Amino acid sequence: MSAEMDALVAKATDKLEALEAALYGLQQVRGRYTAEDGSVTVEVDSSGALVGLELAETVTSRPPAEVSQLIIWACQQAAQDAGAQRSEVVGKLNSAFVPPESGTTESGSVGGRAE
């Protein structure tokens, strides 16, 4: 194989590995939030879907509407945490697709062009 072909295969392999690492990283994302008083702990996946909910015994002394609002608040905070983690994973993926500084005008970022 020529050196040019070897370089092309190496670049393709590197990008495939970056994609696989991103997929694995996204599967590992978990946002977690615990209320200040420790009464509610929520865990969400990379999509923001609830995957864990822990309620302390102290929630039984509160009105249901208050507990539900606290759960919703905790879910929002956990989703923000998961979103930040997801952004880090996608940022690493994007950096793997940015071409080396060679004066090309082609954008290498995933998901769009930089203007």
Side-chain angles (χ1 to χ4, degrees), residues 74-91:
C75 287
Q76 289 172 336
Q77 299 306 305
Q80 286 180 357
D81 180 31
Q85 293 175 42
R86 188 175 52 244
S87 291
E88 287 181 33
V89 171
V90 171

Side-chain angles (χ1 to χ4, degrees), residues 33-93:
Y33 182 81
T34 300
E36 289 181 17
D37 64 0
S39 62
V40 174
T41 299
V42 170
E43 186 174 1
V44 300
D45 66 11
S46 66
S47 299
L50 183 64
V51 295
L53 174 62
E54 298 173 21
L55 301 174
E57 184 70 29
T58 58
V59 298
T60 59
S61 64
R62 294 182 173 181
E66 185 181 320
V67 174
S68 66
Q69 286 301 311
L70 185 57
I71 292 170
I72 290 169
W73 170 254
C75 287
Q76 289 172 336
Q77 299 306 305
Q80 286 180 357
D81 180 31
Q85 293 175 42
R86 188 175 52 244
S87 291
E88 287 181 33
V89 171
V90 171
K92 289 178 186 178
L93 176 62

Side-chain angles (χ1 to χ4, degrees), residues 98-111:
V98 174
E101 306 242 353
S102 61
T104 63
T105 59
E106 180 182 327
S107 172
S109 67
V110 174

